[in-house]
Amino acid sequence: MHLDFGVAWKFLPILLQASLMTIALFVLSQVLGTAAAFFVALARMSPRAWLRRPAMAYIWVVRGTPLLLHLFFVYYAAPAFGITLDAFPAAIIAMSASAAAYNAEIIRAGLQAVHRGQLEAAYAVGMSYGQVVRRIIVPQAVRIIIPPYMGNAISHCKNSSLASVITVPELMLTAQMIYSSTYRAIEILTVTGAIYLVLTSCLSALQMYGERLTAYEQRGLGEGRRRRLRLDAPLPTMPAS
Amino acid sequence: MIEVESLVKHFGAVRALDGVSLSVAAGEVVCLIGPSGSGKSTLLRCINFLEEPTSGVVRVNGKRVGREGTRRVSARELARTRAEIGMVFQHFYLWPHMIALENVIEGLVTVKGMGVGEAAAKGRALLEKVGLTDKMEVYPEHLSGGQRQRVAIARALAMEPRVMLFDEPTSSLDPELVGEVLRVMEQVASEGMTMVVATHEMGFARKVADRVVFLDQGKILEVGTPEEIFGRPRHERLRRFLDKVLV
């Protein structure tokens, strides 16, 4: 077997260009999907059946059917409803919908992991629902959510390759076009794989950074927080009340 | 200071409270005793509306809690009332992502809008008062049960409540840690705080309570001074209960 990575080198700029499209697909659909997931998760936890049931049904259907099918569905079936979409917006819609379904369950798990007693303690000092969510639930939920959320993000990033089937010129489609005209499949696929690996490694690094950032009890307090809390000032001598 | 009138609370078919009336004067310390499931916790939780009573009226400082006529009060109004009622839980429920000092001042900062610096000064004084000067910057998971409960008491005191509710504050503590929490509660009582304490610590009830209330199956069976309740119990059920707990 004769390998010629010179070809891959020649096409590297094109592959890198295409990976920008992959990044755009991933980041945009991940952000939209996460924002939607937050509300789907809240609806899914609602005591009101008219909010909870549709959220459950949505998660059930979208998680239970392939993303590849969603992509085809949005791209090819939408015109039947009088909507014609370009490949890129069609892919964003399908991928966001998928991310929303998976992330909704991850976010719900995080929100529900905060013990009810802690919420009661917060209500007992007079906090409102919004304050409880902001000050007590979310800071703890974020920490719990990071590993499964980032795991899912990595998978979502790789799944962006499926958008190639509806002709979004992302990394995978570009690679296919290059090797079908150069017949250098091994070289091109190797380089393409390496690019995916770099992208997902960035996400892994982000996950580690996030976990370190939220490991509050191991991280110490930091200068700003110490100063705000006046921890290094001498104890006040005034009476307690 | 606290008036409870014909309070009823059902959980499905279970009558947790079955017509409880009780009035607690300002500065009074009332201990609730009784077997598990007798309704002590439910009574406390109804006073600050963590449980919504099925029927009956609760007033704290002359103001009705949770309801106005037949309507529920707004969330804002309820929160304001709750800020005047301190609560200490059996399982502490400190917020694990905040150090001890932040736990104590969280209510001051978010609910009362106090600046962090001012709140911190107040919080440090309170932690000093409960004997935790050297634990201010420690996260709850690195504190013992007794220390956690003292932080929780300081957290409740920080809001300068009119009354304090204690829901079995020492029941989940190792025996050797009970004393440090009871001592702090005794000190709070001696400063004139109005307190309602659900407890199995008969020694504390005897020593600190102005009145002791015996609850059984959701009803108040007997109310009296500690001398009356522990010295001359009238009710057969109370006598049996005391026989069991005072071995």
Side-chain angles (χ1 to χ4, degrees), chain A residues 75 78-79 81-86:
Chain A
Y75 191 52
F81 300 97
I83 314 158
T84 310
L85 288 169
D86 286 340

Side-chain angles (χ1 to χ4, degrees), chain A residues 14-210:
Chain A
I14 296 175
L15 287 170
L16 290 176
Q17 185 80 38
S19 64
L20 290 180
M21 179 58 90
T22 289
I23 292 170
L25 273 176
F26 162 67
V27 171
L28 209 56
S29 63
Q30 182 72 15
V31 168
L32 290 172
T34 302
F38 185 70
F39 294 102
V40 175
L42 290 179
R44 171 76 181 74
M45 296 191 301
S46 170
R48 300 183 183 89
W50 60 269
L51 279 171
R52 192 178 62 245
R53 295 243 171 80
M56 287 169 79
Y58 175 79
I59 293 164
W60 174 57
V61 170
V62 175
R63 284 203 315 181
T65 49
L67 174 57
L68 190 56
L69 184 147
H70 305 156
L71 287 160
F72 281 133
F73 198 88
V74 174
Y75 191 52
Y76 292 122
F81 300 97
I83 314 158
T84 310
L85 288 169
D86 286 340
F88 183 74
I92 290 294
I93 290 171
M95 289 178 64
S96 301
S98 169
Y102 283 97
N103 288 326
E105 287 294 87
I106 291 169
I107 290 171
R108 179 172 72 93
L111 296 178
Q112 285 182 337
V114 180
H115 195 284
R116 192 166 153 253
Q118 285 185 37
L119 314 189
E120 290 188 344
Y123 286 123
V125 297
M127 285 196 212
S128 67
Y129 175 73
Q131 288 169 332
V132 171
V133 170
R134 230 173 32 249
R135 307 281 305 183
I136 309 298
I137 300 181
V138 168
Q140 295 185 67
V142 165
R143 179 186 196 183
I144 298 165
I145 286 169
I146 285 174
Y149 177 84
M150 292 308 291
N152 189 58
I154 286 171
S155 173
H156 190 67
C157 177
K158 292 180 298 179
N159 284 344
S160 67
S161 60
L162 292 171
S164 61
V165 299
I166 59 167
T167 73
V168 179
E170 45 68 74
L171 185 52
M172 196 65 217
L173 181 65
T174 307
Q176 283 168 17
M177 292 192 313
I178 295 170
Y179 70 66
S180 56
S181 62
T182 61
Y183 303 103
R184 288 289 172 192
I186 295 174
E187 295 86 339
I188 298 295
L189 285 175
T190 303
V191 172
T192 302
I195 295 175
Y196 274 115
L197 202 54
V198 168
L199 294 181
T200 52
S201 300
C202 290
L203 293 173
S204 295
L206 198 62
Q207 171 178 348
M208 279 195 282
Y209 176 69

Side-chain angles (χ1 to χ4, degrees), chain B residues 7-19 42 46 51-55:
Chain B
L7 198 62
V8 174
K9 175 66 185 178
H10 294 176
F11 291 105
V14 180
R15 289 163 170 250
L17 291 178
D18 197 3
T42 309
C46 281
E51 300 289 353
E52 184 170 359
T54 308
S55 67

Side-chain angles (χ1 to χ4, degrees), chain A residues 115 117-118 120-127 131 135-136 139-140 216-217 221 225-226 228-230 233 235-236, chain B residues 45 79 82 85 89 93 95-97 102 105-106 110-111 116-117 120-121 124 128 133 137 139 141 155 159:
Chain A
H115 195 284
Q118 285 185 37
E120 290 188 344
Y123 286 123
V125 297
M127 285 196 212
Q131 288 169 332
R135 307 281 305 183
I136 309 298
Q140 295 185 67
Y216 37 79
E217 76 281 19
L221 283 178
R225 201 153 148 221
R226 295 190 68 86
R228 271 199 313 279
L229 291 167
R230 298 187 187 162
L235 262 181
Chain B
R45 293 168 59 82
R82 279 174 171 158
I85 307 173
F89 299 85
Y93 296 139
W95 301 304
H97 57 302
E102 288 170 323
I105 68 172
E106 178 64 18
T110 51
V111 177
V116 172
R124 293 174 62 176
E128 190 184 15
T133 312
E137 33 187 308
Y139 282 97
E141 73 171 298
R155 171 174 75 178
M159 298 301 286

Side-chain angles (χ1 to χ4, degrees), chain B residues 68-121:
Chain B
E68 206 172 85
T70 53
R71 278 206 329 273
R72 240 191 262 181
V73 301
S74 69
R76 181 187 295 244
E77 180 62 38
L78 179 60
R80 203 173 305 143
T81 311
R82 279 174 171 158
E84 297 185 348
I85 307 173
M87 179 115 178
V88 174
F89 299 85
Q90 179 181 347
H91 298 290
F92 331 123
Y93 296 139
L94 295 182
W95 301 304
H97 57 302
M98 302 178 189
I99 59 170
L101 180 59
E102 288 170 323
N103 266 276
V104 173
I105 68 172
E106 178 64 18
L108 291 175
V109 175
T110 51
V111 177
K112 294 203 166 169
M114 192 183 277
V116 172
E118 191 189 344

